[in-house]
Amino acid sequence: MAARAPAAIGKLRRLLREPRGLLKAYHLIGMRLAKRLRWRSMPFLPVRLDVEPIDACNFACDHCQVTHWSRKATTLDPARFRGLLDALPMLREIKLQGMGEPLLHRDLPAMLEEGERRGIAMSFTTNGSISTDAIASRLASLGNTRVAFSVDGATPETFEAIRVNGNFAKVVANIADLVRRRGDAEQPRIELRTVATSRNAHEVPDIIRLADELGVDRVTVTTALTDWGKEDMANVVAPLALRGEQPLETGEIARAAKRVAVDVETGPVYSSERPCPWPWNRSYVAANGDVVPCCVIADSSVVKMGNVFEEPFANIWNNERYRELRRAIAEDDVPDYCRTCYGRKAPA
């Protein structure tokens, strides 16, 4: 605990320097207290938000639910995005990310810039396939944004078998270009994200070496495969999950990380002792305005809390559905759609 206190104090000091820093600090402390006490109603609006700019993708990865659904693509209107920011003035962080490929939205750089102008730390994850000189230049000029590239292989064969419709060489070149354009600046932060499965676990150390060569800041490796709260997707992702005889070679990963920082995430994320914080401090808004409890579900056909284009977010945040979800999480009576993060099996 002693090691965490200075970091928390430093974070609070940085927060106080932000626009509306004192009010944001008040909200942040209030939400942490509410989560600790597991309140069902929230007097504080979230300071973190996931906003989906578009729900279409140019890849067709097997483990992604977008590949398996059929619906007309929805693109978030930038004016509605600004309206959402107006309605939530205490926001500190936005992940401008949903189920689609964010850079398919032509106004993504402008929306990132808009968030930064309001003192919000921005982030998004991309498959790395889309770049032009104009896009790369605007991304490289961002001052408070984290750009994460999804890279699930260290060779064209593995990468392109998983990232269907992807081109390994093009993605690597786009990452290298952004790193070059950023130069010695600290922003934007550039990261790689890897989902380790039975198809690519053997290449994870080589992905770390690739990240070192590219000069990115951090790599996150996760073994957590979600079924998006859907029984049909559980059957799709089950064969991809690492089995007991296929552990990650953590020693080799550590040796591969010469310069780059590496995070390895394994096992269930939450438990009765460490409940999911999303219902208390964060939410997910889809491109069509639907509010979903988290990004691991990311589909209002599974559970929908409301729609921000039809009623104020503040009303949705404390409606009966949200209060019931907080009760269920607090009492370890988690809904079936939360089973992935709690390491529980799908219903028989």
Side-chain angles (χ1 to χ4, degrees):
M1 293 296 292
R4 295 173 59 185
I9 292 171
K11 185 175 183 179
L12 183 59
R13 286 173 177 167
R14 290 192 298 273
L15 177 59
L16 291 174
R17 291 195 294 267
E18 296 177 8
R20 299 182 180 179
L22 186 60
L23 279 174
K24 287 183 180 181
Y26 171 71
H27 274 68
L28 182 62
I29 293 169
M31 282 191 302
R32 287 182 174 176
L33 177 64
K35 176 182 175 291
R36 181 178 292 273
L37 298 177
R38 304 189 183 188
W39 292 349
R40 297 185 189 181
S41 292
M42 287 293 295
F44 307 97
L45 292 173
V47 294
R48 297 179 178 89
L49 196 67
D50 284 28
V51 181
E52 180 180 68
I54 188 169
D55 61 6
C57 188
N58 55 336
F59 281 15
C61 308
D62 287 345
H63 58 278
C64 180
Q65 64 176 333
V66 174
T67 303
H68 302 273
W69 69 28
S70 57
R71 62 178 68 175
K72 185 177 179 181
T74 302
T75 300
L76 178 64
D77 185 336
R80 283 183 154 171
F81 174 68
R82 292 191 295 272
L84 184 59
L85 301 191
D86 291 340
L88 296 169
M90 295 300 110
L91 284 174
R92 293 190 59 241
E93 300 175 16
I94 289 180
K95 184 170 73 171
L96 200 52
Q97 171 73 44
M99 288 310 307
E101 165 50 45
L103 285 170
L104 286 175
H105 195 307
R106 65 182 183 181
D107 293 311
L108 185 82
M111 290 192 288
L112 293 167
E113 293 161 357
E114 176 67 26
E116 287 196 353
R117 278 194 293 272
R118 296 174 185 242
I120 302 171
M122 306 297 290
S123 67
F124 72 100
T125 300
T126 173
N127 61 33
S129 65
I130 300 170
S131 186
T132 63
D133 186 69
I135 289 173
S137 178
R138 290 181 76 174
L139 293 182
S141 68
L142 292 168
N144 192 16
T145 292
R146 177 170 51 84
V147 183
F149 292 88
S150 292
V151 178
D152 288 345
T155 63
E157 293 76 17
T158 299
F159 179 93
E160 292 168 15
I162 296 171
R163 296 275 164 183
V164 178
N165 298 334
N167 182 299
F168 178 73
K170 182 177 181 181
V171 170
V172 170
N174 287 342
I175 299 171
D177 180 56
L178 185 59
V179 172
R180 178 188 62 79
R181 288 172 184 267
R182 181 187 67 171
D184 294 330
E186 295 184 359
Q187 291 285 343
R189 298 284 295 174
I190 303 174
E191 303 180 1
L192 261 58
R193 293 192 63 86
T194 296
V195 180
T197 69
S198 58
R199 302 170 70 182
N200 69 352
H202 62 289
E203 288 192 1
V204 170
D206 289 327
I207 294 172
I208 307 301
R209 294 186 184 95
L210 174 64
D212 253 328
E213 294 170 4
L214 289 169
V216 304
D217 303 303
R218 181 174 294 275
V219 180
T220 299
V221 180
T222 179
T223 62
L225 274 170
T226 179
D227 59 17
W228 315 103
K230 301 175 179 179
E231 292 183 44
D232 56 341
M233 285 301 300
N235 296 326
V236 172
V237 301
L240 301 175
L242 290 178
R243 300 181 296 274
E245 66 272 19
Q246 294 177 296
L248 279 180
E249 295 292 341
T250 52
E252 182 62 23
I253 289 173
R255 287 188 291 273
K258 304 297 184 184
R259 184 202 60 82
V260 69
V262 178
D263 292 326
V264 179
E265 302 171 349
T266 60
V269 179
Y270 302 122
S271 64
S272 58
E273 293 76 25
R274 185 173 178 264
C276 172
W278 275 76
W280 286 274
N281 65 21
R282 191 167 189 160
S283 192
Y284 178 102
V285 179
N288 66 354
D290 284 348
V291 177
V292 183
C294 74
C295 67
V296 181
I297 300 166
D299 184 355
S300 60
S301 71
V302 175
V303 55
K304 176 179 174 179
M305 313 307 278
N307 186 289
V308 293
F309 302 153
E310 298 170 1
E311 60 180 317
F313 182 91
N315 293 355
I316 298 169
W317 188 232
N318 274 314
N319 65 20
E320 183 179 352
R321 280 159 285 184
Y322 252 119
R323 294 197 305 272
E324 171 56 22
L325 178 60
R326 293 184 188 113
R327 180 210 63 78
I329 297 295
E331 297 177 6
D332 197 32
D333 180 27
V334 298
D336 285 341
Y337 53 74
C338 293
R339 60 181 176 266
T340 294
C341 292
Y342 279 80
R344 299 175 184 179
K345 294 182 179 179

